[in-house]
Amino acid sequence: MIEITAAPPFLTVQDLGRPGYHAQGVPSGGAMDPWAFSVANALVGNVGTAAGLEWSLGSGRIQWHDAGAFALAGATVDATLDGAPVAMHRWYRAREGSVLALHRFAAGRFAYLACAGGIDTLPVLGSRATYLSARFGGLEGRLLRSGDRLEVGRSPVPLRGVGFTIPRELEPRYETAECRVVVGPHAALFGAESWSALTTTTYTIDSASDRMGYRLVGPPLQHQGHAALPSAPVCPGAVQVPAGGRPIVLMADAPTVGGYPVIAVVCSADLPLVAQRCPGEALRFRIVSVDDAQRALRRRAGAVHTIGQLVQGAAVRG
Amino acid sequence: MTAGEGGAIAPSIITPLGDCAVTIQIGDRADPVIARRVRALAADIHAAALAPVRDVALGYAALTVWYDALHTDYAAMVSALEPIVAAAATRLGAPATSAVTGREHVISVRYDGPDLEEVAQRTGLTTSDVVSRHSGRQYTVYFLGFVPGFAYLGELDSALVLPRRTEPRPRVPAGAVAIAGAQTAIYPYAIPGGWHLIGRTAVNLFDPRRDPPATLAPGDRVRFVAVEE
C-alpha cells in the first residue's frame, strides 16, 4: 500500500484508458502521455494495462507502507527517495516507510509513477483511469488528496539487484517541437492559405489547456462554408478549428463527438509531445501519411516491448 | 453528398481519422433518415465482428470505427469495411432491425428552466406552448456522445428551433433539459454547455456499474411528460 502524504494539485490514477465505450459517450481517456506511462510500467516489470499515477506540476510526497519498487517517467522532475536523488527512467526499490518526494518539474507537464504490481483500484468499464468529468475510475473518480491510501498489486516480475536504467535511445524524449499530423476528415474545407499556416506557424500552447484539449495561439485558420458541422465522432489528437479559427488539439478526456471542422490529427506516436508542452511553449506541425504514422506507432510499441524484455533479462540475471 | 428521402444515394466517403480510426461519412446534415442509416451501418459493422475493430462511435451523419493499428493498417481496414458499407447502401429500404427496435422511455420533466421565458419570446410562443410542443411528441435517440450518457434526440417541433446561445454557460447543472437547433437533450453531468435550458429531470442517464451504462441507446424513443414537482 502507498499513501499520498502530501498531495500535489493534480494527481490521478491512470492507465491506458477505456477504448470500447465511445458509443455511450465515454472518451477513451487514460494517461495523457501513454509513451512515458508505458515506459514506467515496463521499467518495473508491469503488464501494459497496470495502473499508475499521473502527476501534473506541483510538489508532493508519497510514502510506502509496504516495501515495493517504482519508476518515474515522462516530465523531468527533481525527486528524492528518503533524501537521495531519484533519476528518471530507472527503477528503484522503496522500503517500508520510504518517502518519495517530488520537488519540482524541470521540464514537461506530466510525470508518471509506476509501482511494481500496479495501483489496484476498482476497474470501471474495464479501466482504472480517472475520468474527472463524470467522476468515475481511479479513486472515487476524483483527484487524489493527502491521506489517500492506494493498494498496490502483486509484482509480476521479481525485480532484483540494482535499478535497471534503460538505454538512452529508448528513453522518451520531448525536445522536438515538431509533431507529425495526418490530414483530417475535413481537409477539403480549408484553402491553401490555411494549410500553409498550419505547417509553417510555430504555435504556442495557450493557458486554457487541460486533459480535454490544448488551445493553440497562432494566426487563425479560415475554413470555407459552415463553421459548425453536424456532430461527428472525434479522437484525441484531432486539431479542431472552431469559428474563430484558433485551433484546439483534443486530448485524452475530450468529448467523443465534435461539431467543428478537423483539419488534421496528431499522430498517436507524437501526441505525447503535445501533452508534455506547458502553456507558452512552442509546437509545430508536419504532415505525414497514415502509413508513416502507423509505422511510427509500431516502432514506439516495439521500443516499449524491448524495455520490458531488458528488464526481465536484468531481473533473471539478478 | 447525401440523399433526401427517396432520392438517389451518393456513395459514402471513407477517410482516416488519425492513425487509429476510420470515419465513414454518410451524409452532411442532421436528418432522421441519415441518422437511421448511420445506426444500421453501425449494427452491420458490429455484426461483422472484424478482428482489429476496437469500437464504433456514432454521429448524426457519420460513424467512426476505431481499430488496432499495431496489428493492421489503414488500407486493410478500409478493404474490410468497404463491402459492409456497400451492402448497407443496397438495402436502404430495410434497415437492420436492431437499429429500429429501440426501447421506449417516458421521462418526467419539470419545465422551469432559466431559458424558458427567452425561448418563448424568441419563438413568439407562450411558455405553456413551448412546454406542450416540447412534450407533445416522440423523439428518437440519434446517437450518444459528448459526455457519458448524453443522447442527441430529434426532431424538435420546428417552431422551437433556435441557434445555440452565443455565450455558452460555464456550467449547466446535471439533469437540465435543453434544446438547440432541431435537437433536444438532457445533460447527464454538470458541464459547460451552449443549449437553451427549458427544464430539468431527475432521471439518471449514466451509471458505470450497469451494462450498458447509458440509460438511452441509439434508436430508442423518448417522450417527455410535464410534471409540477
Side-chain angles (χ1 to χ4, degrees), chain A residues 19-26 124-125 131 133-134 136 182 185 230-231 233-236 255-257 265 267-268 290 293-294 297-298 301, chain B residues 15-20 28-29 55-60 64 66-67 69 72-74 144-149 152 189 206 208 212-214:
Chain A
Y21 296 90
H22 291 101
Q24 306 270 313
V26 182
V124 177
L125 302 176
Y131 177 42
S133 300
F136 63 74
V182 298
S231 290
V234 289
C235 63
T256 60
V257 298
V265 181
C267 299
S268 302
V290 175
Q294 293 181 336
L297 184 61
R298 286 180 208 119
Chain B
T15 54
L17 179 68
D19 50 24
C20 292
D28 61 0
R29 64 188 184 279
D55 202 8
V56 180
L58 282 65
Y60 280 121
T64 291
W66 296 72
Y67 63 96
T72 190
D73 60 25
Y74 176 68
L144 276 70
F146 189 48
V147 291
Y152 290 76
Y189 296 97
F206 192 89

Side-chain angles (χ1 to χ4, degrees), chain A residues 133-223:
Chain A
S133 300
R135 278 176 252 112
F136 63 74
L139 190 66
E140 301 165 358
R142 60 167 172 80
L143 297 170
L144 296 174
R145 301 190 284 246
S146 299
D148 282 340
R149 293 176 173 202
L150 298 165
E151 292 293 341
V152 177
R154 254 182 75 85
S155 178
V157 182
L159 295 166
R160 292 195 208 95
V162 291
F164 161 82
T165 307
I166 61 178
R168 268 190 91 70
E169 68 271 18
L170 296 179
E171 275 188 10
R173 302 197 74 86
Y174 307 96
E175 287 85 354
T176 178
E178 182 181 270
C179 93
R180 292 166 288 186
V181 298
V182 298
V183 168
H186 307 117
L189 294 181
F190 296 88
E193 272 179 39
S194 289
W195 285 103
S196 169
L198 182 77
T199 51
T200 58
T201 301
T202 297
Y203 290 96
T204 50
I205 309 284
D206 191 79
S207 56
S209 299
D210 56 23
R211 280 188 51 92
M212 295 175 75
Y214 283 17
R215 286 173 190 276
L216 304 181
V217 181
L221 300 171
Q222 307 296 339
H223 38 71

Side-chain angles (χ1 to χ4, degrees), chain B residues 14 22 73-83:
Chain B
I14 302 181
V22 172
D73 60 25
Y74 176 68
M77 200 62 241
V78 170
S79 299
L81 289 169
E82 271 172 345

Side-chain angles (χ1 to χ4, degrees), chain B residues 38-181:
Chain B
V38 169
R39 294 198 297 277
L41 181 56
D44 292 346
I45 293 169
H46 278 298
L50 303 172
V53 169
R54 289 289 167 267
D55 202 8
V56 180
L58 282 65
Y60 280 121
L63 59 85
T64 291
V65 179
W66 296 72
Y67 63 96
D68 179 0
L70 294 181
H71 295 103
T72 190
D73 60 25
Y74 176 68
M77 200 62 241
V78 170
S79 299
L81 289 169
E82 271 172 345
I84 303 170
V85 174
T90 61
R91 53 142 182 72
L92 291 173
T97 50
S98 58
V100 291
T101 55
R103 294 186 302 148
E104 281 194 39
H105 305 264
V106 176
I107 293 175
S108 299
V109 177
R110 189 168 172 189
Y111 284 97
D112 61 356
D115 300 334
L116 184 62
E117 288 282 352
E118 189 189 328
V119 168
Q121 281 169 18
R122 291 178 62 180
T123 55
L125 301 168
T126 64
T127 54
S128 64
D129 276 343
V130 172
V131 171
S132 61
R133 284 176 187 266
H134 187 261
S135 58
R137 57 168 51 206
Q138 180 175 269
Y139 300 96
T140 300
V141 177
Y142 286 173
F143 65 97
L144 276 70
F146 189 48
V147 291
F150 189 102
Y152 290 76
L153 304 168
E155 292 220 311
L156 202 60
D157 184 308
S158 58
L160 296 179
V161 172
L162 289 173
R164 292 175 186 211
R165 292 168 56 84
T166 43
E167 287 297 323
R169 284 187 171 82
R171 188 177 181 277
V172 171
V177 176
I179 60 171

